[in-house]
Amino acid sequence: MSPNNKWIGRGLHASLLYLVLFVCLVRTATLDEEDIEIDDEEEEDLEYEYSIKQDRHTCGSGQTGQYPFCKDKDQVIHHYVDTRDECGETDFKRVRGEMQLMIQDRRKKMKEIVHSAKLIEKNVEREKEDTLLFLTEVTRLIQKTYVDVIEEIEKKQKAATTMAIEHILELTQEISKLQERSSELEQLSHIEDHLHLLQMFPSLCTPPATIDWSEVSIHSDPSVGSMRRAVNKLREALNSEESRLSAAELGRIKKCAVNVTLDPDTAHPYLIVSEDGKQVRIGDLRQNVTDGPERFNSVVNVLAKEGFSSGRFYYEVQVKGKTRLDLGVAIESINRKSGGTLSPGHGYLAICLRDGDRYVAAESPAILIALSQKPQKIGVYVDYEQGQVSFYDVDNRSHIYSFTDYSFNKKLYPFFSTGTDDDGENSAPLVITPVNQQLSIHFFTFEKA
């Protein structure tokens, strides 16, 4: 298929998709409103009935014809039907009302999905434009680096060539002087009264002033190091653009913010969790708590109450004043009764602060993270389906580290470790803070060099 046909085919495919979505919207909007009309009093009753369902009965074998959802006596249907007294006296009005509420819920959900489908196209187009602009800028930087390094090499070549010519001229002049002096001495050598002549011309007794050429040399490869310097400059420029990318990326990721609270039932006995579940610090005394199976009892860890088994989520943690900490996510089945190694193989995807300012990624082996400044607040972003866990410096709007290409098949929980007290130097708490989504980010505003 030709490229044009491919684009036409993609366009037709997209058009058909939106036609189907449009038809679904129209069909939903034009449902017979009379079929789902419910007066206020009835709607209150239905919502009450729908929420608590105090009287339920399961369709089972031998009950054919007694329930609206039952089929034959050999098939058990896993529906629950509200009844007044027994299956034979089903309140059809309430069942119908419940079904109508279910229809309303599904209509709402369908509209949400259609809206999301429309946003997909908008967001993908934006991402494509941003990617094109970013890669265009990277190409410009590479081209500029090439021009700069070629100019530097040629400049050094010219300088080296000029110096070589100057040295050659100086050597030529000295050779001429020496040859001239040598000729004079040769002529004087034929005179018999040499001593008298030398006394008359004492300057002939010493060689003319010359340069000490033993210390002079011309490097045959003057451009050594030019490529290294060019690569360093390119790296600095790309790091700057990567920072812009991280800022824009973080702005979008913040839309995945979730409410995270600490689970005191998982906290090590030396940890003190605030009443609102938003702070945790290391205490001086062991708390009087029950040692349940979910509680850590060998390392000062605590998990969040909220676990995630799909989708994307993001939260932020204030780490100001900490000299030691661990932060990330852990799988539900981690061993909570032994120390273990903090690594993906043991169920942790985390970064660690050690010695006050040294961050490492808990890989196998650990990876030292180079940071220009110490983060005061760290954002944690998880994409369950993509197998990605990323960390960001929130205030600096920069990327810290990402675990990628992992395969999750168990529930993930936000994970926190305050570290030991270190004689009071590490007594500051870890604080789960609200996510500010009101960011003003202007991504592609490159400065042309």
Side-chain angles (χ1 to χ4, degrees), residues 227-260:
M227 180 57 69
R228 173 65 60 184
R229 288 187 290 273
V231 169
N232 289 337
K233 290 181 180 179
L234 180 60
R235 182 182 294 113
E236 291 175 2
L238 289 176
N239 286 341
S240 176
E241 300 311 321
E242 196 273 340
S243 296
R244 297 174 189 264
L245 175 63
S246 296
E249 184 178 55
L250 183 57
R252 297 169 188 169
I253 285 172
K254 282 175 175 281
K255 297 178 181 179
C256 301
V258 295
N259 182 32
V260 172

Side-chain angles (χ1 to χ4, degrees), residues 21-55:
L21 293 174
F22 177 76
V23 170
C24 290
L25 275 179
V26 173
R27 177 67 185 96
T28 304
T30 55
L31 287 175
D32 188 357
E33 297 296 339
E34 295 182 357
D35 290 343
I36 58 173
E37 286 184 357
I38 305 171
D39 58 41
D40 294 340
E41 181 178 355
E42 184 181 353
E43 184 171 3
E44 291 179 1
D45 293 339
L46 289 174
E47 289 178 352
Y48 175 78
E49 185 73 18
Y50 191 51
S51 61
I52 62 174
K53 302 187 188 315
Q54 291 180 334
D55 188 13

Side-chain angles (χ1 to χ4, degrees), residues 21 99 129 156 171-172 174 191 196 209 216 226 278 286 303 342 347 356 429:
L21 293 174
M99 295 294 293
E129 291 176 3
K156 289 186 175 183
L171 286 168
T172 301
E174 289 191 356
I191 300 175
H196 176 69
V216 178
S226 297
K278 296 298 182 180
R286 185 182 182 90
L303 300 180
L342 201 66

Side-chain angles (χ1 to χ4, degrees), residues 106-147:
R106 281 149 181 78
R107 288 180 62 200
K108 181 179 179 180
K109 178 58 65 176
M110 189 166 71
K111 289 181 180 179
E112 291 177 0
I113 294 173
V114 171
H115 179 66
S116 297
K118 291 181 179 179
L119 288 179
I120 287 173
E121 182 183 22
K122 179 180 177 181
N123 291 334
V124 166
E125 288 302 317
R126 179 201 61 200
E127 194 72 21
K128 287 163 64 176
E129 291 176 3
D130 289 352
T131 300
L132 177 60
L133 288 171
F134 178 77
L135 294 180
T136 300
E137 177 61 15
V138 171
T139 302
R140 187 191 70 81
L141 290 172
I142 293 174
Q143 290 175 341
K144 183 179 183 302
T145 301
Y146 170 77
V147 171

